Amino acid sequence: MNEEKKPKEPSPGLRKADRWILKISRVISYLVAAALLAIMVLAFCDVIAAKFFKTAIPSATEWITYLNVLAVFPAVAFVQLDRGHTNVDFLNHYYPKWLQKGIRVFGHLLGVGVSFVIAWKGFETTASMLAKHEMSSSSTLVRGAFPLWPFCGAMSVCCVLLGLAFAWCIVREFTGLPLFSPPPGKQEPEEPEPPAEEKGGQIHGA
């Protein structure tokens, strides 16, 4: 009889690294919550100031516009590692396992390349903005104007993190690590539970 080939078991070190990478990316994604809170508070205060005090917060609209960068990009690496993106694969499950794996790895390789190219161009744009002292308003005399390079730089760093997340997904494919991360609060056991007969305790009660 042909025995079924058991899936490759990852080493404890790889499991630990996977948990730490996921944990760090999750912490970075908390910036999204902070940015969304800042957008909500800023928009609320701007409306209140305009309605009741006949004034407005300087450059509030521009702040809200550029804070949307921090409301999206810090979470993309975590979403990729957590397989939170929408996948449309009507025919994928009909393919043999090796072809499914090849398609996933090819997609991850494309993701690495595209992410790093965007990051590279983003860093070039950040350096250009910094050299030109590019501000949110066309005139630096506008009250509340702020530099734009930190937002472009943050987006570029997040694209680097996304590229690294795609690369780690490739590592998962070839090391036996789970492709889907466990839900929060449910961690994989460090070691398998020993069989009942190997335990020293008594099974039957008094």
Side-chain angles (χ1 to χ4, degrees):
M1 295 176 65
N2 294 330
E3 295 182 359
E4 291 185 2
K5 188 178 180 182
K6 293 182 179 180
K8 184 179 180 181
E9 284 293 328
S11 65
L14 274 174
R15 288 183 182 274
K16 188 175 182 180
D18 189 62
R19 286 195 298 270
W20 271 104
I21 289 171
L22 188 65
K23 186 180 295 185
I24 292 171
S25 64
R26 182 185 290 118
V27 170
I28 295 173
S29 71
Y30 292 158
L31 289 173
V32 171
L36 289 173
L37 179 62
I39 290 172
M40 181 183 68
V41 171
L42 186 57
F44 176 78
C45 293
D46 188 49
V47 170
I48 295 298
K51 292 294 183 182
F52 295 99
F53 301 100
K54 306 302 180 183
T55 185
I57 298 176
S59 301
T61 303
E62 290 178 314
W63 272 110
I64 291 172
T65 299
Y66 288 102
L67 278 172
N68 277 282
V69 172
L70 299 180
V72 175
F73 284 93
V76 290
F78 172 67
V79 172
Q80 173 59 32
L81 289 170
D82 203 47
R83 297 298 296 269
H85 293 295
T86 301
N87 292 318
V88 181
D89 46 2
F90 296 109
L91 302 175
N92 205 32
H93 60 281
Y94 292 110
Y95 300 150
K97 296 294 184 182
W98 64 268
L99 184 55
Q100 293 182 31
K101 188 176 195 175
I103 291 172
R104 290 195 302 268
V105 170
F106 180 70
H108 295 328
L109 287 172
L110 283 179
V112 171
V114 171
S115 298
F116 284 146
V117 167
I118 294 175
W120 171 42
K121 292 297 182 181
F123 284 127
E124 285 186 343
T125 305
T126 301
S128 175
M129 287 179 171
L130 189 57
K132 297 177 181 177
H133 302 287
E134 194 166 338
M135 306 293 287
S136 59
S137 299
S138 56
S139 173
T140 56
L141 300 177
V142 175
R143 196 160 56 104
F146 53 89
L148 295 179
W149 68 264
F151 298 94
C152 187
M155 184 182 70
S156 303
V157 170
C158 291
C159 285
V160 171
L161 295 177
L162 178 60
L164 294 176
F166 275 116
W168 187 252
C169 288
I170 298 175
V171 173
R172 281 177 170 178
E173 291 283 351
F174 293 101
T175 56
L177 287 168
L179 302 183
F180 293 88
S181 303
K186 290 186 178 181
Q187 296 294 339
E188 296 181 14
E190 295 288 343
E191 295 180 357
E193 191 71 18
E197 59 269 13
E198 294 182 8
K199 295 182 179 179
Q202 293 294 329
I203 297 177
H204 298 288

